Amino acid sequence: MIPLQEASARRREIEDKLKQEEETLSFIRDSLEKSDQLTKNMVSILSSFESRLMKLENSIIPVHKQTENLQRLQENVEKTLSCLDHVISYYHVASDTEKIIREGPTGRLEEYLGSMAKIQKAVEYFQDNSPDSPELNKVKLLFERGKESLESEFRSLMTRHSKVVFPVLILDLISGEDDLEVQEEVPLEHLPESVLQDVIRISRWLVEYGRNQDFMNVYYQIRSSQLDRSIKGLKEHFRKSSSSSGVPYSPAVPNKRKDTPTKKPVKRPGHEHDFRVKHLSEALNDKHGPLAGRDDMLDVETDAYIHCVSAFVKLAQSEYQLLMDVIPEHHQKKTFDSLIQDALDGLMLEGENIVAAARKAIIRHDFSAVLTVFPILRHLKQTKPEFDQVLQGTAASTKNKLPSLITSMETVGAKALEDFADNIKNDPDKEYNMPKDGTVHELTSNAILFLQQLLDFQETAGAMLASQVLGDTYNIPLDPRETSSSATSYSSEFSKRLLSTYICKVLGNLQLNLLSKSKVYEDPALSAIFLHNNYNYILKALEKSELIQLVAVTQKTAERSYREHIEQQIQTYQRSWLKVTDYIAEKNLPVFQPGVKLRDKERQMIKERFKGFNDGLEELCKIQKAWAIPDTEQRDKIRQAQKNIVKETYGAFLHRYGSVPFTKNPEKYIKYRVEQVGDMIDRLFDTSA
């Protein structure tokens, strides 16, 4: 049972908590009442504010609308005034710009184009808004006059500032391919930069606003003339330079830096060898007539043409770069095609004239014409990739001009080669044309000289032969691997075999002709010397050049064969001395016993042997001294061999009969000592002895 005292305490505690709770509740009630009152006051204030805002809005909105309308009206008025000013300005365009248009664009292109823009806008305005107004006719006439002035200005700028490219600059451009520094220092400026910019602006205006393409014709006609004149000027420069100094030079261009290296003589573009035709015209002329001066002229013409071809490529490239800035893109190829026609046709015509001259010369058996064709054809082939690149996009007829010329040159070149080979075979055996001393025949030296010249043009000559499908002529089968899809494109190995076969054919024809010519000589010994000299000359010439390697491609034993022929002719020559040595040969001598007196018949026989030997020796030495063996080594070899034979035979004879009393006057018969005989033979083949 809980004690009473504790219960009383617990009760008082509860009552205290209850009292506190009641006080808290009373405080909350008071706070809520105050909050409600504040809320009511705020709602009242907001309601009053809302009422005032509505009144203000109802007052301001009409004023705003009125102000907005006034602003809109003001803007419309300003726009109307601006439009009126703009429209009125069109009516003043003619009077404002007439003076500028009348005076032309020269010296003030920017201002002039600005005036033309105003006139253009005026024309568009009147066409759209007042097509029947007189003002439209005025501005139209003014626009047409302005356009004509721009066209005239374009023509005037192109005419006044388009200059011929000087030959020295062209030569620098060509020879500067391997000299980048010089090439950068000598830019090819067709038009001054300021003029070029004016020309570009006029051309763009004429295309965009003038709806005119006539200026493109003006452009290509003027530039075409300059291109053609530049190339012709280079050709004339070559003629003048070559006539004065023999080799054209490219002088240093003004305004170069002081450390610019001195220009070297111009090299023929694309050539590894400087092919000179000096003395070769006569060598290839079957008439062997004097052609003094003609060979040099051929060389000048050849060099000039080759340089003109290279100049055309470089100048045409430069012209296209210029044209790209001036002519609209979709007209560039056609305009360029027209621009290059005169210069290109001039080159092609000159090339065809070379071909035509070569054909006529071949008919006359004047094979010097081939000298012009070879270097030109080689250069045309080397330049063809650049040609094709330059002519890309031009008409097919333009692109085909160079291949057509190359084909013509290959055809005439192959014809010249074949006719030359036939001419070597059929050269007549004219007695008056034979060397009296049995030396090398002119036909031999000419043929070898010609073949040696082919070494500089092996690929060209091989291609000439291959272009005519001469494999059948030479019995060389065509291997599909040796030809490409092009009928005129053969492998270098096949062309080399063709050329080797051709050279062997020429040498074979030459050998046959020499054998025929040798029969003109009545003396077999002179005939042998003649053949020996010619065979030896051929062999030495083959060995000193690459001809022997080229011949060996199809004739492995050619060198050995010539040596055998040479030795055979030496033996034939040596037989001419038998009529001398037979007199004193042991088999023909009388036999007698030592100490036994000779009979008259024996003495007479010994006298005849001495006399026959002496007369034969003197006769042969006299005759053969006038013969010639140009090769010192061969001459000494033949002399020594013959001297050994004769001295040995004569020495034995003299030893046997020199002390025999066969005559009272031994000095009459024993005229020569052995050493004297040797000296006489040493003077053979020496007209100065």
Side-chain angles (χ1 to χ4, degrees), residues 532 536 563 566-568 570-571 573-574 629 631-645 681-682 685:
H532 164 273
N536 183 66
R563 294 192 186 281
I566 292 170
E567 189 59 35
Q568 181 182 353
I570 292 176
Q571 293 174 6
Y573 162 74
Q574 288 176 341
I629 299 180
D631 189 319
T632 304
E633 181 181 349
Q634 286 290 313
R635 183 168 66 239
D636 293 342
K637 175 184 175 182
I638 293 174
R639 282 174 176 172
Q640 188 62 42
Q642 198 58 51
K643 185 168 64 173
N644 291 341
I645 295 172
I681 295 176
D682 278 337
F685 317 117

Side-chain angles (χ1 to χ4, degrees), residues 100-152:
I100 297 175
I101 299 302
R102 185 174 63 251
E103 292 176 353
T106 304
R108 51 175 179 176
L109 182 61
E110 191 71 29
E111 181 184 6
Y112 193 89
L113 291 178
S115 298
M116 289 298 293
K118 293 179 181 179
I119 298 172
Q120 173 72 15
K121 291 179 181 178
V123 170
E124 293 172 355
Y125 171 79
F126 288 122
Q127 284 178 336
D128 294 339
N129 299 281
S130 184
D132 298 328
S133 65
E135 285 77 10
L136 176 60
N137 293 330
K138 287 182 181 180
V139 291
K140 270 188 174 182
L141 289 174
L142 199 58
F143 182 81
E144 290 300 322
R145 187 189 306 170
K147 184 172 72 171
E148 292 175 0
S149 295
L150 284 172
E151 293 171 359
S152 298

